[in-house]
């Protein structure tokens, strides 16, 4: 086995064995928490409300909780083959036969690896010609025959086949920058991307202190079959930030642990929506008529003194001149953490609901069908990238991890 193909934790990855140790410690704490019998009732508008009196605790073990362990690593911290060195991963996708596609933002390449992690070829490279990219920040695999790549520099979404030949291209209906592309395609061949709009605009220099403001949240769609654009208003988004002034001008800081609204497109149509402050998930159609509500009782975690101190220390370490700002923001932090993290829909149409976990505990997800039936939970036995982005395809989780030397590794973990 070549050293660059790491199928077990490399000695340099000190953070990852720590995550495995944490997971093992958690598993030894409790037996399975019963979910109880969910109740179903029909609401006056015809929607179905499903209530779960309990879901497994994040530190529980048993048949309802699957622990996802890494079974494949791709990457190296040294070596003479640059194809195993990643400078800025922005997406990992997998075909039904296990072939893995990795987008590297820094190299402006899409590399292909076998199910065993062997480098096969590079199908997309830097450039402005057909099938070439400049600044791509995300990929999505449609079936096994079309790979969509979001190139923010060319303001285009480019579709290539597994050999890298460009088959399709369209201008982005929403032109915005984000760390990792979060656009999606539904089963009708429509591309969806969210957009926020503020009616009154943003003051150039708002007064110092806490500011609360609202955006209108939309999802804009582009129909690949006829080029039609449409948009759906999905509600208002309220957020808070702390405005400050400095000798150099000023800026703003978000308030940690503030709840937020979540909306994701369901591939078969409509949306899943939630507010992270409560375990309440709503599935609605494209007219925003509620079809299903899922509620569950789970543990609420307090914001600890250590959490508050860590926020202040982190900001001051990066900006020593903002100590007073950090201390002011600390007083605005809520007493409890949000119940939910991210939500997304996998390739089987199941909704993955991430629960907030304390400290450096690995992520924990609950799975539901589109009818609100609980399918079990998944605990990661490793710590993914800082923003928690994972993709679930063909019974596996794909993402990447970073070691203490900022070396990036693509990883795969089975959940089947």
């Amino acid at each position: 086995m070549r050293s660059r193909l790491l199928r077990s934790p490399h000695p340099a990855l000190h953070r990852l064995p720590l995550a495995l140790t944490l997971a093992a410690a958690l598993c030894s704490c409790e037996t399975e928490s019963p979910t109880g019998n969910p109740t179903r009732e029909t609401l006056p508008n015809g929607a179905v409300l499903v209530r779960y009196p309990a879901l497994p605790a994040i530190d529980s073990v048993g048949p309802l909780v699957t622990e996802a362990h890494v079974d494949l690593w791709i990457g190296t911290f040294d070596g003479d083959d640059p194809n195993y060195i990643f400078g800025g991963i922005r997406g990992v996708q997998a075909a039904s036969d296990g072939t893995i596609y990795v987008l590297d933002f820094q190299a402006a390449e899409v590399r292909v690896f076998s199910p065993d992690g062997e480098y096969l070829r590079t199908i997309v490279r830097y450039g402005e010609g057909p099938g070439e990219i400049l600044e791509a920040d995300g990929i999505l695999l449609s079936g096994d025959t079309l790979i969509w790549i979001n190139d923010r520099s060319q303001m285009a979404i480019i579709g290539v086949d597994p050999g890298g030949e460009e088959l399709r291209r369209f201008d982005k209906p929403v032109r915005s920058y984000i760390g990792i592309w979060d656009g999606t395609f539904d089963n009708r061949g429509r591309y969806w991307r969210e957009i926020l709009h503020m009616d009154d605009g943003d003051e150039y220099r708002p007064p110092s202190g806490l500011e609360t403001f609202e955006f209108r949240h939309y999802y804009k769609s582009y129909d690949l079959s006829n080029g039609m654009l449409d948009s759906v208003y999905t509600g208002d988004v309220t957020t808070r930030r702390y405005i400050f002034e400095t000798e150099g001008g000023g800026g703003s800081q978000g308030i940690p642990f503030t709840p937020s609204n979540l909306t994701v497109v369901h591939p078969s149509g409509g949306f899943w929506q939630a507010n992270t402050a409560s375990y309440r998930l709503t599935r609605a159609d494209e007219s925003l008529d509620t079809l299903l509500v899922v509620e569950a009782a789970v543990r609420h975690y307090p914001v600890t003194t250590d959490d508050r101190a860590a926020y202040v220390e982190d900001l001051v370490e990066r900006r020593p001149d903002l100590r007073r700002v950090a201390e002011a923001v600390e007083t605005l932090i809520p007493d409890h953490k949000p119940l939910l993290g991210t939500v997304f829909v996998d390739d089987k149409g199941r909704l993955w609901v991430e629960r907030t976990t304390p400290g450096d505990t690995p992520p924990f997800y609950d799975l539901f069908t589109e009818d609100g039936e609980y399918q079990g939970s998944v605990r990661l036995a490793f710590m993914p990238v800082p923003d928690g982005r994972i993709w679930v395809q063909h019974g596996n989780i794909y993402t990447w991890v970073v070691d203490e030397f900022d070396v990036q590794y693509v990883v795969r973990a089975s959940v089947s």
Side-chain angles (χ1 to χ4, degrees):
M1 182 189 302
R2 292 188 286 178
S3 62
R4 62 178 65 89
L5 300 180
L6 305 175
R7 297 197 179 103
S8 59
H10 190 279
L13 302 181
H14 299 309
R15 293 181 187 172
L16 302 175
L18 173 60
L20 294 172
T21 302
L22 285 169
L26 285 171
C27 290
S28 65
C29 292
E30 285 189 20
T31 58
E32 185 70 79
S33 298
T35 59
N37 295 320
T39 61
R40 286 179 176 264
E41 62 179 280
T42 302
L43 301 176
N45 68 344
V48 176
L49 170 61
V50 184
R51 282 197 179 101
Y52 289 87
L55 291 176
I58 64 169
D59 53 358
S60 61
V61 296
L64 294 178
V65 179
T66 298
E67 191 163 77
H69 292 269
V70 173
D71 60 19
L72 177 71
W73 304 73
I74 305 174
T76 183
F77 61 94
D78 58 12
D80 56 2
D81 190 339
N83 294 304
Y84 293 94
I85 299 174
F86 302 108
I89 299 171
R90 291 296 184 273
V92 184
Q93 296 284 282
S96 58
D97 65 358
T99 301
I100 301 168
Y101 298 86
V102 182
L103 170 64
D104 191 308
F105 177 85
Q106 182 173 300
E109 293 179 346
V110 175
R111 302 174 197 163
V112 186
F113 297 85
S114 75
D116 293 327
E118 292 284 347
Y119 170 75
L120 299 177
R121 59 191 178 275
T122 296
I123 60 171
V124 175
R125 300 182 187 275
Y126 181 84
E128 298 183 65
E132 296 179 332
I133 56 176
L134 296 175
E135 292 183 308
D137 56 11
I139 57 174
L140 285 173
L141 185 60
S142 177
D144 287 341
T145 59
L146 186 60
I147 305 159
W148 291 107
I149 309 167
N150 183 70
D151 191 330
R152 69 189 194 191
S153 181
Q154 298 188 66
M155 289 295 180
I157 298 173
I158 304 164
V160 302
D161 67 14
E165 180 181 354
E166 183 173 321
L167 304 177
R168 176 103 222 229
R169 176 186 293 243
F170 63 91
D171 293 338
K172 295 172 61 174
V174 177
R175 300 192 171 190
S176 60
Y177 288 86
I178 192 168
I180 301 174
W181 180 44
D182 60 356
T184 188
F185 293 85
D186 66 17
N187 296 340
R188 292 173 51 187
R190 294 176 298 175
Y191 169 72
W192 293 85
R193 180 72 165 80
E194 66 178 344
I195 184 172
L196 295 173
H197 177 74
M198 177 181 283
D199 288 332
D200 297 330
D202 200 2
E203 293 183 43
Y204 172 71
R205 184 65 64 82
S208 298
L210 178 65
E211 180 188 37
T212 301
F213 54 102
E214 283 192 350
F215 291 102
R216 289 190 293 165
H217 185 272
Y218 295 86
Y219 257 97
K220 180 176 285 189
S221 67
Y222 171 78
D223 193 321
L224 274 66
S225 65
N226 55 29
M228 289 186 61
L229 290 170
D230 200 0
S231 61
V232 177
Y233 167 68
T234 58
D236 292 335
V237 175
T238 301
T239 188
R240 302 189 304 160
R241 63 182 178 180
Y242 186 85
I243 308 298
F244 62 87
E245 294 185 1
T246 65
E247 292 183 0
S252 66
Q253 283 287 314
I255 313 300
F257 304 115
T258 296
S260 60
N261 291 335
L262 304 173
T263 302
V264 294
V265 174
H266 195 285
S268 64
F271 307 91
W272 282 102
Q273 294 185 298
N275 184 282
T276 60
S278 64
Y279 204 113
R280 188 175 192 273
L281 305 151
T282 301
R283 187 163 68 86
D285 61 21
E286 289 181 25
S287 298
L288 267 291
D289 292 329
T290 299
L291 305 175
L292 176 74
V293 179
V294 178
E295 295 181 348
V298 297
R299 180 180 174 184
H300 227 142
Y301 290 95
V303 176
T304 66
T305 301
D306 289 343
D307 291 328
R308 296 175 182 275
Y311 166 76
V312 174
E313 291 170 6
D314 179 67
L315 181 55
V316 171
E317 182 179 355
R318 291 182 286 112
R319 290 284 304 273
D321 59 316
L322 296 185
R323 176 171 290 278
R324 289 186 178 180
V325 171
E327 292 171 347
V329 172
E330 187 273 328
T331 65
L332 301 171
I333 296 176
D335 293 332
H336 289 86
K337 299 176 181 178
L339 282 174
L340 305 182
T342 59
V343 297
F344 67 92
V345 179
D346 67 14
D347 61 344
K348 295 181 179 180
R350 298 175 301 182
L351 181 71
W352 286 59
V353 182
E354 181 185 9
R355 284 194 233 166
T356 297
T357 54
D360 293 328
T361 306
F364 187 95
Y365 298 87
D366 300 317
L367 280 61
F368 297 91
T369 69
E370 63 179 55
D371 296 322
E373 181 182 348
Y374 172 69
Q375 297 284 286
S377 300
V378 175
R379 177 194 299 114
L380 303 192
F382 62 96
M383 297 296 286
V385 288
D387 74 347
R389 187 68 61 92
I390 67 173
W391 292 267
V392 181
Q393 297 172 313
H394 311 295
N396 292 303
I397 292 173
Y398 295 90
T399 185
W400 67 96
V401 298
V402 180
D403 69 11
E404 66 268 36
F405 305 113
D406 290 330
V407 177
Q408 300 182 15
Y409 301 82
V410 174
V411 296
R412 181 187 67 201
S414 175
V415 291
S416 57

